[in-house]
Amino acid sequence: MIGMKDIIREGHPSLRKRAEEVEFPLSEADRKLSEELMEYVMNSQNPEKSEKYGLRPGIGLAAPQVDQLKRMFALHIMEEEQDPISFVAINPRIISHSVEKTYLVTGEGCLSVDRDVEGFVPRYARITVKAFDPEGKEYKLRLKGLPAIAFQHELDHLNGIMFYDHIDPKNPYREIPGAIPLDRA
């Protein structure tokens, strides 16, 4: 089981490297990794398990964050009045996106960053993505709102990019032209 001790923190060189494509069929180690990434995000959102295992809540976790340079991440998002979104994405890519941007009003956080980083992170408001599940089946999803933001955040991890790389360092709360603010409060 992945715990907080397994998640590398900012400054670790693996967080700045591009992850490698994953080959199918998955090796036993890659299958286990995909299961453990999903297990972490699900457990971290369960108050009892989160407290029992000392997990910081997260909606996504990418393989590079546990020092595995593989193009794989898990997302688990339970929002009120929305269908739950829960999947492992292997070799994911964005195949199209809106011109329109969005950002979280509260800013983004990251399990690999132990500090609050203030500022708006511009993201595409809507994306269409393709990825493979652990069985090797390709799937296509259209995402918007928080799931679209989270997908882009995790995809950045596979490319060695941290969320705060997108924040304007001179003016972190600079208005993003034409963007729709997303407030999760």
Side-chain angles (χ1 to χ4, degrees):
M1 185 177 117
I2 293 171
M4 286 307 295
K5 68 182 182 339
D6 303 304
I7 297 175
I8 60 177
R9 303 308 203 281
E10 64 180 320
H12 191 291
S14 291
L15 290 173
R16 291 301 190 171
K17 292 184 177 149
R18 183 174 169 79
E20 300 291 325
E21 293 274 320
V22 179
E23 291 188 20
F24 288 96
L26 292 186
S27 67
E28 197 50 46
D30 286 347
R31 179 172 298 286
K32 186 173 189 287
L33 176 61
S34 75
E35 290 165 1
E36 288 185 335
L37 292 171
M38 180 56 75
E39 181 184 43
Y40 179 93
V41 289
M42 291 180 84
N43 286 344
S44 79
Q45 294 177 45
N46 176 313
E48 287 135 29
K49 289 182 179 179
S50 177
E51 186 173 339
K52 179 179 177 181
Y53 300 115
L55 307 177
R56 255 178 57 203
I59 59 174
L61 185 63
Q65 292 179 270
V66 293
D67 207 10
Q68 299 282 319
L69 290 174
K70 297 169 187 277
R71 297 189 75 76
M72 177 190 312
F73 63 76
L75 277 185
H76 182 69
I77 303 172
M78 308 290 286
E79 285 190 291
E80 286 182 36
E81 300 171 27
Q82 300 280 329
D83 289 334
I85 290 184
S86 195
F87 60 84
V88 171
I90 301 172
N91 300 335
R93 62 195 195 281
I94 295 172
I95 58 171
S96 69
H97 60 78
S98 61
V99 172
E100 194 171 46
K101 298 282 182 101
T102 190
Y103 60 91
L104 285 173
V105 172
T106 54
E108 291 184 23
C110 180
L111 293 168
S112 292
V113 179
D114 291 331
R115 62 191 174 95
D116 287 333
V117 180
E118 296 193 1
F120 297 148
V121 181
R123 302 283 188 190
Y124 297 117
R126 293 174 306 285
I127 56 176
T128 302
V129 304
K130 279 190 177 177
F132 293 89
D133 70 14
E135 305 309 313
K137 290 188 174 66
E138 188 175 45
Y139 61 88
K140 182 177 171 179
L141 296 171
R142 287 186 172 87
L143 303 172
K144 64 181 182 180
L146 184 61
I149 290 171
F151 190 99
Q152 291 169 82
H153 178 112
E154 299 307 327
L155 186 62
D156 275 353
H157 277 303
L158 306 186
N159 295 318
I161 298 166
M162 298 296 282
F163 75 92
Y164 48 74
D165 296 344
H166 298 289
I167 297 172
D168 182 336
K170 291 185 180 78
N171 186 359
Y173 291 104
R174 178 178 61 82
E175 200 61 35
I176 299 163
I180 302 166
L182 183 63
D183 192 353
R184 286 191 64 212

